[in-house]
Short mmCIF file of all heavy atoms in Angstrom, two decimals:
data_model
loop_
_atom_site.label_atom_id
_atom_site.label_comp_id
_atom_site.label_asym_id
_atom_site.label_seq_id
_atom_site.Cartn_x
_atom_site.Cartn_y
_atom_site.Cartn_z
N THR A 1 11.19 4.69 12.27
CA THR A 1 10.09 5.33 13.01
C THR A 1 9.65 4.45 14.18
O THR A 1 9.43 4.94 15.29
CB THR A 1 8.90 5.62 12.08
OG1 THR A 1 9.34 6.50 11.04
CG2 THR A 1 7.74 6.23 12.82
N ALA A 2 9.50 3.16 13.94
CA ALA A 2 9.05 2.23 14.98
C ALA A 2 10.02 2.21 16.16
O ALA A 2 9.60 2.06 17.31
CB ALA A 2 8.89 0.82 14.41
N GLN A 3 11.32 2.38 15.88
CA GLN A 3 12.34 2.26 16.92
C GLN A 3 12.71 3.60 17.56
O GLN A 3 13.30 3.62 18.64
CB GLN A 3 13.59 1.60 16.35
CG GLN A 3 13.35 0.15 15.96
CD GLN A 3 14.56 -0.49 15.31
OE1 GLN A 3 15.22 0.12 14.47
NE2 GLN A 3 14.84 -1.72 15.70
N SER A 4 12.37 4.70 16.92
CA SER A 4 12.79 6.01 17.42
C SER A 4 11.86 6.54 18.51
O SER A 4 10.69 6.16 18.57
CB SER A 4 12.86 7.02 16.27
OG SER A 4 11.56 7.29 15.79
N GLY A 5 12.40 7.45 19.33
CA GLY A 5 11.57 8.06 20.38
C GLY A 5 10.92 6.99 21.23
O GLY A 5 11.56 6.04 21.66
N THR A 6 9.63 7.15 21.46
CA THR A 6 8.88 6.10 22.14
C THR A 6 8.57 5.03 21.10
O THR A 6 7.86 5.30 20.13
CB THR A 6 7.56 6.66 22.71
OG1 THR A 6 7.83 7.71 23.62
CG2 THR A 6 6.77 5.56 23.42
N PRO A 7 9.13 3.83 21.27
CA PRO A 7 8.91 2.78 20.27
C PRO A 7 7.43 2.44 20.13
O PRO A 7 6.63 2.63 21.06
CB PRO A 7 9.69 1.59 20.82
CG PRO A 7 10.66 2.17 21.80
CD PRO A 7 9.98 3.38 22.37
N GLY A 8 7.07 1.93 18.97
CA GLY A 8 5.68 1.55 18.74
C GLY A 8 5.49 0.94 17.37
O GLY A 8 6.44 0.81 16.59
N PRO A 9 4.26 0.58 17.05
CA PRO A 9 3.97 -0.06 15.76
C PRO A 9 3.89 0.93 14.60
O PRO A 9 3.56 2.10 14.78
CB PRO A 9 2.60 -0.71 16.00
CG PRO A 9 1.97 0.10 17.08
CD PRO A 9 3.09 0.61 17.93
N VAL A 10 4.21 0.41 13.42
CA VAL A 10 4.04 1.15 12.16
C VAL A 10 3.39 0.18 11.17
O VAL A 10 3.53 -1.04 11.29
CB VAL A 10 5.37 1.68 11.59
CG1 VAL A 10 5.97 2.74 12.49
CG2 VAL A 10 6.36 0.56 11.36
N PHE A 11 2.67 0.73 10.20
CA PHE A 11 1.98 -0.09 9.21
C PHE A 11 2.40 0.32 7.81
O PHE A 11 2.36 1.51 7.47
CB PHE A 11 0.46 0.05 9.36
CG PHE A 11 -0.33 -0.68 8.30
CD1 PHE A 11 -0.20 -2.04 8.13
CD2 PHE A 11 -1.21 0.01 7.48
CE1 PHE A 11 -0.93 -2.71 7.16
CE2 PHE A 11 -1.94 -0.65 6.51
CZ PHE A 11 -1.81 -2.02 6.35
N VAL A 12 2.82 -0.65 7.01
CA VAL A 12 3.17 -0.41 5.61
C VAL A 12 2.28 -1.30 4.74
O VAL A 12 2.26 -2.52 4.89
CB VAL A 12 4.66 -0.72 5.33
CG1 VAL A 12 4.98 -0.55 3.85
CG2 VAL A 12 5.56 0.17 6.18
N GLU A 13 1.54 -0.65 3.85
CA GLU A 13 0.63 -1.35 2.95
C GLU A 13 1.30 -1.52 1.59
O GLU A 13 1.84 -0.56 1.03
CB GLU A 13 -0.64 -0.50 2.82
CG GLU A 13 -1.69 -1.06 1.91
CD GLU A 13 -2.90 -0.15 1.84
OE1 GLU A 13 -2.83 0.87 1.12
OE2 GLU A 13 -3.90 -0.46 2.50
N LEU A 14 1.26 -2.75 1.06
CA LEU A 14 1.86 -3.04 -0.24
C LEU A 14 0.78 -3.58 -1.19
O LEU A 14 0.43 -4.75 -1.13
CB LEU A 14 2.99 -4.06 -0.09
CG LEU A 14 4.18 -3.64 0.76
CD1 LEU A 14 5.14 -4.79 0.96
CD2 LEU A 14 4.89 -2.45 0.14
N PRO A 15 0.24 -2.72 -2.05
CA PRO A 15 -0.78 -3.16 -3.01
C PRO A 15 -0.23 -4.25 -3.94
O PRO A 15 0.97 -4.29 -4.24
CB PRO A 15 -1.11 -1.90 -3.80
CG PRO A 15 -0.71 -0.77 -2.90
CD PRO A 15 0.48 -1.28 -2.14
N ILE A 16 -1.12 -5.12 -4.39
CA ILE A 16 -0.72 -6.26 -5.22
C ILE A 16 0.03 -5.83 -6.48
O ILE A 16 0.96 -6.50 -6.92
CB ILE A 16 -1.95 -7.13 -5.58
CG1 ILE A 16 -1.50 -8.44 -6.24
CG2 ILE A 16 -2.94 -6.38 -6.43
CD1 ILE A 16 -2.62 -9.44 -6.44
N ASP A 17 -0.34 -4.69 -7.06
CA ASP A 17 0.32 -4.26 -8.29
C ASP A 17 1.72 -3.72 -8.05
O ASP A 17 2.48 -3.52 -9.01
CB ASP A 17 -0.54 -3.26 -9.06
CG ASP A 17 -1.00 -2.09 -8.23
OD1 ASP A 17 -1.22 -2.25 -7.02
OD2 ASP A 17 -1.13 -0.97 -8.79
N VAL A 18 2.09 -3.50 -6.81
CA VAL A 18 3.46 -3.10 -6.48
C VAL A 18 4.32 -4.35 -6.27
O VAL A 18 5.51 -4.35 -6.54
CB VAL A 18 3.49 -2.21 -5.21
CG1 VAL A 18 4.91 -1.92 -4.77
CG2 VAL A 18 2.74 -0.91 -5.47
N LEU A 19 3.70 -5.42 -5.81
CA LEU A 19 4.42 -6.64 -5.47
C LEU A 19 4.62 -7.62 -6.62
O LEU A 19 5.58 -8.37 -6.62
CB LEU A 19 3.71 -7.38 -4.33
CG LEU A 19 3.72 -6.70 -2.98
CD1 LEU A 19 2.88 -7.50 -2.00
CD2 LEU A 19 5.15 -6.56 -2.48
N TYR A 20 3.69 -7.65 -7.56
CA TYR A 20 3.71 -8.69 -8.59
C TYR A 20 3.84 -8.13 -10.00
O TYR A 20 3.44 -7.00 -10.25
CB TYR A 20 2.43 -9.53 -8.50
CG TYR A 20 2.36 -10.34 -7.23
CD1 TYR A 20 1.61 -9.90 -6.16
CD2 TYR A 20 3.06 -11.53 -7.11
CE1 TYR A 20 1.54 -10.62 -4.98
CE2 TYR A 20 3.00 -12.26 -5.94
CZ TYR A 20 2.24 -11.80 -4.88
OH TYR A 20 2.19 -12.52 -3.72
N PRO A 21 4.35 -8.95 -10.93
CA PRO A 21 4.46 -8.51 -12.33
C PRO A 21 3.08 -8.27 -12.95
O PRO A 21 2.08 -8.80 -12.48
CB PRO A 21 5.15 -9.69 -13.03
CG PRO A 21 5.63 -10.60 -11.98
CD PRO A 21 4.89 -10.28 -10.72
N PHE A 22 3.08 -7.51 -14.01
CA PHE A 22 1.84 -7.09 -14.68
C PHE A 22 0.92 -8.26 -15.01
O PHE A 22 -0.27 -8.21 -14.75
CB PHE A 22 2.17 -6.32 -15.96
CG PHE A 22 0.97 -6.05 -16.82
CD1 PHE A 22 0.05 -5.07 -16.47
CD2 PHE A 22 0.73 -6.81 -17.96
CE1 PHE A 22 -1.07 -4.84 -17.24
CE2 PHE A 22 -0.40 -6.58 -18.73
CZ PHE A 22 -1.28 -5.58 -18.36
N HIS A 23 1.45 -9.36 -15.58
CA HIS A 23 0.58 -10.46 -16.02
C HIS A 23 -0.15 -11.11 -14.84
O HIS A 23 -1.28 -11.57 -14.98
CB HIS A 23 1.35 -11.50 -16.84
CG HIS A 23 2.31 -12.31 -16.05
ND1 HIS A 23 3.57 -11.87 -15.71
CD2 HIS A 23 2.19 -13.55 -15.51
CE1 HIS A 23 4.19 -12.80 -15.00
NE2 HIS A 23 3.38 -13.83 -14.85
N VAL A 24 0.46 -11.12 -13.67
CA VAL A 24 -0.19 -11.68 -12.48
C VAL A 24 -1.32 -10.77 -12.03
O VAL A 24 -2.42 -11.22 -11.73
CB VAL A 24 0.83 -11.90 -11.34
CG1 VAL A 24 0.14 -12.34 -10.06
CG2 VAL A 24 1.90 -12.90 -11.76
N VAL A 25 -1.04 -9.47 -12.01
CA VAL A 25 -2.06 -8.49 -11.59
C VAL A 25 -3.20 -8.48 -12.59
O VAL A 25 -4.37 -8.45 -12.21
CB VAL A 25 -1.44 -7.07 -11.45
CG1 VAL A 25 -2.52 -6.06 -11.13
CG2 VAL A 25 -0.36 -7.09 -10.39
N GLN A 26 -2.89 -8.54 -13.87
CA GLN A 26 -3.92 -8.54 -14.91
C GLN A 26 -4.88 -9.71 -14.71
O GLN A 26 -6.09 -9.56 -14.77
CB GLN A 26 -3.26 -8.62 -16.29
CG GLN A 26 -4.26 -8.58 -17.43
CD GLN A 26 -3.58 -8.72 -18.78
OE1 GLN A 26 -2.56 -9.40 -18.90
NE2 GLN A 26 -4.12 -8.06 -19.78
N LYS A 27 -4.33 -10.88 -14.43
CA LYS A 27 -5.16 -12.07 -14.20
C LYS A 27 -6.01 -11.88 -12.94
O LYS A 27 -7.19 -12.21 -12.91
CB LYS A 27 -4.27 -13.30 -14.06
CG LYS A 27 -5.02 -14.59 -13.90
CD LYS A 27 -4.05 -15.70 -13.55
CE LYS A 27 -4.08 -16.78 -14.56
NZ LYS A 27 -3.18 -17.89 -14.23
N GLU A 28 -5.41 -11.32 -11.89
CA GLU A 28 -6.09 -11.14 -10.60
C GLU A 28 -7.28 -10.19 -10.70
O GLU A 28 -8.33 -10.42 -10.12
CB GLU A 28 -5.09 -10.62 -9.57
CG GLU A 28 -5.67 -10.35 -8.22
CD GLU A 28 -6.03 -11.62 -7.43
OE1 GLU A 28 -5.48 -12.68 -7.74
OE2 GLU A 28 -6.87 -11.51 -6.53
N ILE A 29 -7.13 -9.10 -11.46
CA ILE A 29 -8.21 -8.11 -11.52
C ILE A 29 -9.08 -8.27 -12.76
O ILE A 29 -9.92 -7.44 -13.06
CB ILE A 29 -7.69 -6.65 -11.40
CG1 ILE A 29 -6.82 -6.25 -12.59
CG2 ILE A 29 -6.94 -6.46 -10.11
CD1 ILE A 29 -6.42 -4.79 -12.58
N GLY A 30 -8.88 -9.38 -13.48
CA GLY A 30 -9.78 -9.71 -14.57
C GLY A 30 -9.55 -8.94 -15.84
O GLY A 30 -10.49 -8.73 -16.60
N GLY A 31 -8.33 -8.52 -16.08
CA GLY A 31 -8.04 -7.81 -17.32
C GLY A 31 -8.07 -8.75 -18.50
O GLY A 31 -8.00 -9.96 -18.37
N THR A 32 -8.22 -8.19 -19.71
CA THR A 32 -8.22 -9.00 -20.92
C THR A 32 -7.03 -8.61 -21.77
O THR A 32 -6.41 -7.57 -21.56
CB THR A 32 -9.52 -8.77 -21.72
OG1 THR A 32 -9.58 -7.39 -22.07
CG2 THR A 32 -10.74 -9.16 -20.92
N LYS A 33 -6.72 -9.42 -22.72
CA LYS A 33 -5.60 -9.12 -23.60
C LYS A 33 -5.91 -7.93 -24.51
O LYS A 33 -5.03 -7.21 -24.90
CB LYS A 33 -5.23 -10.35 -24.43
CG LYS A 33 -4.67 -11.48 -23.58
CD LYS A 33 -3.75 -12.34 -24.40
CE LYS A 33 -3.21 -13.50 -23.62
NZ LYS A 33 -2.33 -13.20 -22.56
N THR A 34 -7.18 -7.75 -24.84
CA THR A 34 -7.55 -6.60 -25.65
C THR A 34 -8.16 -5.55 -24.73
O THR A 34 -9.12 -5.83 -24.01
CB THR A 34 -8.57 -6.99 -26.75
OG1 THR A 34 -9.72 -7.55 -26.13
CG2 THR A 34 -7.97 -7.98 -27.72
N ALA A 35 -7.58 -4.39 -24.75
CA ALA A 35 -8.04 -3.31 -23.87
C ALA A 35 -9.35 -2.74 -24.38
O ALA A 35 -9.40 -2.14 -25.44
CB ALA A 35 -6.97 -2.22 -23.81
N ARG A 36 -10.42 -2.96 -23.60
CA ARG A 36 -11.73 -2.42 -23.94
C ARG A 36 -12.15 -1.44 -22.86
O ARG A 36 -12.05 -1.74 -21.69
CB ARG A 36 -12.75 -3.54 -24.05
CG ARG A 36 -12.61 -4.30 -25.34
CD ARG A 36 -13.72 -5.31 -25.47
NE ARG A 36 -13.05 -6.60 -25.61
CZ ARG A 36 -13.50 -7.73 -25.15
NH1 ARG A 36 -14.62 -7.78 -24.49
NH2 ARG A 36 -12.83 -8.84 -25.32
N GLY A 37 -12.63 -0.29 -23.29
CA GLY A 37 -13.11 0.70 -22.33
C GLY A 37 -11.97 1.34 -21.55
O GLY A 37 -10.80 0.98 -21.69
#
């Protein structure tokens, strides 16, 4: 898309839970080992 037609910028957002394994995300967002609520 950036290179086609009139060239220009494009933006791709990558949320942390797409980039990192579950245990890293769990620690980042304050999850606990026991699921409450």
Side-chain angles (χ1 to χ4, degrees):
T1 300
Q3 294 177 317
S4 68
T6 301
V10 294
F11 175 59
V12 176
E13 180 180 78
L14 298 173
I16 190 172
D17 53 327
V18 174
L19 292 176
Y20 293 99
F22 171 75
H23 70 278
V24 174
V25 176
Q26 182 182 33
K27 183 189 240 182
E28 179 72 21
I29 65 174
T32 60
K33 293 207 182 292
T34 58
R36 283 186 238 146

